[in-house]
């Protein structure tokens, strides 16, 4: 059973920066992906940035140019450096991973989330 632990959330003023970290453990297969999602209060969860199982990185349009996402494949960690934060970035941020088994099975796991609050 994969477990994800997020850290690094907090409160920051407009224009500030935060670095979120996600550490995964319990993987039993070598192929996986890792991503960050976020969910503002009253809204649906949305993709922010991440790496697919081939190591390709994708960023959502609303964070392009403002984030750096780093995956350490060996350590199963995913860091999200966010700069130029805006009030609309306020949300609970979740780490997600999918583990790919040898027979096509895919297991999805979510972390508990870390809150990011941006105030003006």
């Amino acid at each position: 059973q994969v477990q994800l632990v997020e850290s690094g959330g907090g409160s920051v003023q407009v224009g500030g920066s935060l670095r979120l970290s996600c550490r995964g453990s319990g993987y039993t297969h070598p192929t996986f992906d890792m991503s960050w999602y976020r969910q503002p209060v009253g809204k649906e969860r949305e993709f922010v940035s991440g790496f697919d199982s081939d190591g390709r990185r994708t960023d959502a349009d609303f964070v392009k140019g403002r984030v750096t996402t780093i995956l350490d494949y060996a350590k199963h960690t995913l860091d999200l450096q966010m700069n130029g934060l805006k009030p609309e970035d306020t949300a609970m941020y979740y780490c997600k991973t999918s583990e790919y088994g040898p027979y096509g099975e895919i297991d999805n796991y979510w972390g508990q989330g870390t809150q990011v609050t941006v105030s003006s």
Side-chain angles (χ1 to χ4, degrees):
Q1 184 85 359
V2 173
Q3 292 186 324
L4 299 173
V5 178
E6 301 115 328
S7 61
S11 297
V12 64
Q13 293 195 328
V14 170
S17 299
L18 280 175
R19 188 180 184 93
L20 307 184
S21 295
C22 174
R23 177 176 292 274
S25 61
Y27 289 86
T28 56
H29 301 298
T31 305
F32 65 97
D33 61 34
M34 289 185 85
S35 299
W36 283 98
Y37 283 71
R38 72 184 189 186
Q39 187 168 17
V41 173
K43 297 184 178 181
E44 295 195 351
R45 195 169 296 187
E46 59 187 357
F47 172 82
V48 178
S49 178
F51 289 84
D52 67 16
S53 59
D54 292 321
R56 292 176 297 225
R57 172 183 158 184
T58 303
D59 297 330
D61 287 343
F62 55 77
V63 294
K64 281 183 178 177
R66 299 193 293 126
V67 300
T68 300
T69 313
I70 301 171
L71 173 68
D72 187 321
Y73 197 86
K75 295 182 179 179
H76 299 99
T77 62
L78 183 68
D79 288 351
L80 178 68
Q81 174 69 42
M82 299 189 293
N83 303 313
L85 285 164
K86 307 173 183 180
E88 52 264 42
D89 293 319
T90 296
M92 184 70 78
Y93 283 71
Y94 296 92
C95 183
K96 176 184 181 281
T97 190
S98 297
E99 189 178 28
Y100 297 81
Y103 306 108
E105 66 274 31
I106 303 173
D107 293 314
N108 300 312
Y109 303 92
W110 292 88
Q112 293 298 307
T114 185
Q115 179 68 36
V116 171
T117 302
V118 184
S119 57
S120 55

